[in-house]
Amino acid sequence: MPNHVHILLSPIGENSVVSIVSKLKRYSSRMIKQCVVTDGNVWQREMFDRMIRGEDDFAHKLVYIVNNPNGLPEDSYSLYVADNVQYLL
C-alpha cells in the first residue's frame, strides 16, 4: 500500500508483537532512507494491533488485506501471502 502496511503474524517464543513490529520498522526505515532522501520519520509511532480469534477471524482479516488495494495499479503495492494460508482465500 502507498501509505500503510498490513501484517498478519503470530509471535513465537519470547517475541512480542510490539518487539517484532519495532524491529520491522527500524529495519525498513533504514532501507527506505537509503532509497529516498529524507530526514523525517518513515513510520508513525503508534500501531494498531488486533487479536485474531480463530481461523475464521484470520481468514476474514486475510481477505480484507488482500482486497484492500483494489482499484490501485498493481505496480503501486506489494502483496505476499504465505503458501500455508493461501487455502483461506
Side-chain angles (χ1 to χ4, degrees):
M1 296 299 299
N3 63 355
H4 66 280
V5 174
H6 293 278
I7 302 171
L8 282 172
L9 61 86
S10 180
I12 298 173
E14 299 297 316
N15 297 307
S16 70
V17 171
V18 172
S19 171
I20 294 167
V21 171
S22 294
K23 290 173 185 174
L24 285 168
K25 283 181 167 183
R26 246 187 332 272
Y27 176 78
S28 60
S29 290
R30 279 196 311 271
M31 297 298 106
I32 290 168
K33 287 180 178 185
Q34 287 179 6
C35 299
V36 178
V37 178
T38 180
D39 289 331
N41 292 332
V42 172
W43 299 107
Q44 293 178 342
R45 296 188 106 192
E46 71 273 357
M47 66 175 194
F48 301 97
D49 57 338
R50 303 288 182 267
M51 177 71 72
I52 302 294
R53 292 180 167 78
E55 189 171 324
D56 289 343
D57 192 25
F58 184 94
H60 176 70
K61 299 293 190 279
L62 180 61
V63 168
Y64 171 82
I65 290 169
V66 169
N67 291 327
N68 192 248
N70 283 354
L72 294 176
E74 285 192 26
D75 63 350
S76 70
Y77 64 92
S78 296
L79 177 65
Y80 170 78
V81 179
D83 292 337
N84 63 335
V85 295
Q86 285 281 344
Y87 74 95
L88 293 170
L89 294 174

